[in-house]
């Protein structure tokens, strides 16, 4: 395991330091983008706020629509990232006459239901198109028999907007998650994994595989293996980061599209929406609890090794001590989309242009408020191991 730098040990005071200086106190800055279909426009606003603040992630990781947005960001030069993200969402969203009713939110629930129905029946431009005939009327094992929509348009859209050579050679580490259909195992396609045998040169197949949600979208064949949406197993990349053994201090912007907490549903529409939130929300507490436990074991190992007299220590003992003396603490800034009153269980496939604008604005506002909390950018103490912060957790 590599030895991290000591930058995190002496942070600049959070009350006076510029944001870039606070970020520089960490060995790694990660942006983690959760899956969530149409809600992914929220990521665009998040990125816009980060870019305006001069915060540049060293690692970007995503699942499903988070993988698509991650690849667009990493696969473009800095001056084109926001423009390409905007272009993607303008391509895959649909304007309608209902946009003229912008000031009248009394019609909003109806508008969202109509937009979701349109996506189901007509597909989305540049993204997916319904199969005709339906897979129910196709021969078993034939092309198109295992999904309701064709994603050829998405492949063309991504190849237009993403330079995969730049993604591979650029400064960011990129990882996208998918599930192998035959084995049911979760797989991370990671272009900078510390183990060379686990590195992947990410191309359009890997990005599409991460977002291939069944039964709507078809599995993606990658070198003879087939993959579905990573959200089937884990919708948030946090566990992949916490599983790293490089002991680097990490500042993590975790962007979630489904809140883990929510009110008791009052009707069937709210039941379906809440069920989806619980299914696809992140398991941040479980992940951080496990990380703290492993961190505590490492500290106990260090204490045990310290009790061995110097003349009795092996070179392996000394190397382990050096490694454990600089633990990699983790500071998680949690940015979570909050569902609007008019949204229902179709929020992840309601691709209206109006909703996309609102999701983007919400992401920008939430990340801007998060970045304003400079006191949250101080690395946690070694005895704490990991800290989590959420602007919405402080709301009355």
């Amino acid at each position: 395991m590599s030895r991290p730098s000591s930058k995190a040990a002496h942070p600049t005071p959070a009350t006076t330091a510029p944001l870039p200086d606070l970020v520089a106190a960490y060995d790694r800055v990660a942006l983690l983008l959760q899956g969530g279909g149409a809600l992914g426009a929220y990521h665009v606003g998040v990125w816009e706020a980060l870019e305006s603040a001069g915060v540049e992630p060293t690692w970007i990781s995503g699942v499903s629509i988070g993988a698509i947005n991650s690849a667009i960001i990493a696969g473009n030069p800095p001056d084109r990232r926001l423009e390409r993200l905007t272009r993607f969402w303008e391509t895959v969203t649909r304007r309608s006459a209902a946009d003229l009713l912008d000031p009248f939110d009394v019609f909003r629930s109806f508008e969202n239901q109509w937009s979701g129905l349109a996506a189901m029946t007509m597909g989305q431009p540049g993204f997916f198109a319904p199969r005709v005939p339906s897979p129910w009327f196709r021969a078993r094992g034939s092309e198109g028999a295992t999904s309701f929509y064709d994603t050829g348009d998405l492949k063309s859209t991504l190849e237009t907007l993403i330079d995969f050579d730049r993604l591979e050679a650029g400064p960011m580490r990129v990882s996208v998650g998918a599930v192998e259909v035959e084995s049911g195992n979760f797989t991370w396609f990671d272009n900078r994994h510390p183990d060379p045998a686990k590195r992947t040169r990410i191309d359009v197949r890997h990005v599409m595989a991460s977002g291939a949600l069944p039964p709507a979208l078809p599995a993606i064949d990658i070198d003879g293996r087939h993959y579905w949406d990573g959200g089937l197993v884990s919708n948030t990349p946090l566990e992949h980061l916490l599983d790293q053994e490089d002991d680097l201090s990490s500042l993590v912007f975790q962007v979630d599209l489904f809140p883990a907490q929510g009110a008791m549903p009052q009707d069937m529409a709210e039941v379906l929406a809440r069920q989806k939130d619980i299914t696809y929300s992140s398991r941040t507490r479980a992940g951080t609890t496990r990380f703290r436990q492993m961190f505590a074991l490492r500290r106990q190992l260090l204490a045990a090794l310290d009790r061995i007299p110097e003349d009795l220590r092996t070179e392996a003992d000394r190397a382990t001590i050096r490694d454990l003396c600089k633990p990699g603490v983790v500071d998680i800034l949690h940015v979570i989309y909050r569902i609007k009153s008019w949204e229902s269980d179709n929020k992840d496939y309601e691709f209206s242009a109006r909703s996309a604008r609102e999701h983007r604005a919400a992401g920008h506002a939430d990340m801007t408020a998060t970045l304003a909390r400079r006191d949250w950018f101080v690395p946690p103490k070694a005895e704490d191991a990991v800290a989590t912060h959420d602007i919405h957790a402080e709301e009355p």
Side-chain angles (χ1 to χ4, degrees):
M1 293 183 286
S2 62
R3 180 177 178 178
S5 73
S6 59
K7 293 184 293 183
H10 304 287
T12 307
T15 54
T16 59
L19 187 59
D21 290 348
L22 293 173
V23 172
Y26 296 87
D27 301 303
R28 171 167 55 209
V29 180
L31 177 61
L32 312 183
L33 303 181
Q34 190 185 71
L39 297 174
Y42 183 83
H43 295 155
V44 183
V46 165
W47 178 258
E48 186 176 16
L50 286 173
E51 188 176 87
S52 297
V55 177
E56 175 85 0
T58 58
W59 185 0
I60 187 166
S61 183
V63 174
S64 196
I65 197 66
I68 290 175
N69 286 332
S70 294
I72 293 173
I73 291 169
N76 281 285
D79 61 341
R80 301 195 67 179
R81 291 168 180 165
L82 187 59
E83 179 268 323
R84 288 299 176 94
L85 283 171
T86 301
R87 185 173 164 188
F88 172 80
W89 285 95
E90 289 177 345
T91 298
V92 303
T93 54
R94 190 187 304 272
R95 294 188 61 85
S96 71
D99 284 349
L100 300 176
L101 301 176
D102 253 6
F104 306 104
D105 284 339
V106 67
F107 302 108
R108 193 58 196 278
S109 179
F110 171 78
E111 177 189 343
N112 279 39
Q113 292 295 331
W114 179 260
S115 178
L117 180 61
M120 291 181 64
T121 56
M122 297 183 289
Q124 287 301 128
F127 202 150
F128 57 89
R131 295 193 186 277
V132 180
S134 162
W136 293 111
F137 300 102
R138 295 175 184 247
R140 183 175 184 275
S142 65
E143 183 179 2
T146 57
S147 66
F148 289 102
Y149 302 93
D150 177 85
T151 52
D153 288 348
L154 176 61
K155 181 175 184 293
S156 299
T157 299
L158 296 180
E159 289 177 335
T160 298
L161 297 177
I162 300 170
D163 181 344
F164 286 97
D165 289 334
R166 173 175 284 275
L167 185 151
E168 175 64 23
M172 291 184 190
R173 177 177 175 179
V174 182
S175 53
V176 298
V179 176
E180 187 181 352
V181 178
E182 290 88 348
S183 69
N185 292 331
F186 193 94
T187 299
W188 283 105
F189 301 116
D190 190 326
N191 71 338
R192 305 282 170 80
H193 196 284
D195 182 351
K198 296 181 179 180
R199 291 177 191 166
T200 303
R201 183 180 177 89
I202 296 173
D203 59 38
V204 70
R205 299 172 301 166
H206 305 95
V207 178
M208 291 182 66
S210 185
L213 184 64
L217 308 184
I220 302 299
D221 185 333
I222 301 178
D223 301 329
R225 297 180 181 271
H226 302 87
Y227 295 89
W228 273 336
D229 193 304
L232 293 175
V233 172
S234 176
N235 198 35
T236 305
L238 180 62
E239 289 188 5
H240 185 46
L241 182 141
L242 295 180
D243 283 341
Q244 301 302 299
E245 297 183 352
D246 47 20
D247 297 327
L248 300 181
S249 63
S250 301
L251 174 64
V252 179
F253 295 99
Q254 180 180 328
V255 186
D256 290 354
L257 302 178
F258 294 98
Q261 298 181 348
M264 177 66 190
Q266 300 301 309
D267 57 31
M268 188 53 65
E270 291 182 2
V271 167
L272 295 173
R274 186 70 193 125
Q275 177 193 33
K276 190 170 286 186
D277 284 343
I278 293 172
T279 300
Y280 293 113
S281 64
S282 65
R283 304 294 183 262
T284 302
R285 181 173 298 177
T288 54
T289 297
R290 182 170 59 85
F291 180 79
R292 284 192 179 97
Q293 292 170 342
M294 292 299 298
F295 199 94
L297 289 174
R298 292 172 61 82
R299 303 297 290 175
Q300 292 171 17
L301 175 59
L302 176 61
L305 290 173
D306 272 341
R307 289 194 289 270
I308 300 175
E310 175 61 33
D311 59 332
L312 296 180
R313 293 175 184 173
T314 67
E315 186 54 40
D317 291 335
R318 296 187 184 94
T320 301
I321 290 173
R322 288 193 299 269
D323 183 54
L324 295 175
C325 280
K326 299 292 184 180
V329 294
V330 178
D331 192 11
I332 302 172
L333 304 187
H334 212 170
V335 186
I336 311 171
Y337 176 70
R338 290 297 192 263
I339 186 172
K340 304 297 188 296
S341 61
W342 55 77
E343 291 181 308
S344 68
D345 63 298
N346 71 358
K347 58 187 177 180
D348 56 333
Y349 61 89
E350 193 276 290
F351 281 89
S352 70
R354 180 184 180 186
S355 289
R357 292 193 302 270
E358 292 173 344
H359 295 151
R360 175 174 177 168
H364 186 273
D366 288 348
M367 180 53 81
T368 298
T370 299
L371 294 173
R373 291 298 306 265
R374 301 301 171 88
D375 53 312
W376 288 352
F377 285 81
V378 177
K381 298 177 181 178
E383 55 266 31
D384 296 326
V386 59
T388 59
H389 307 283
D390 173 11
I391 55 170
H392 294 295
E394 299 187 344
E395 295 176 350

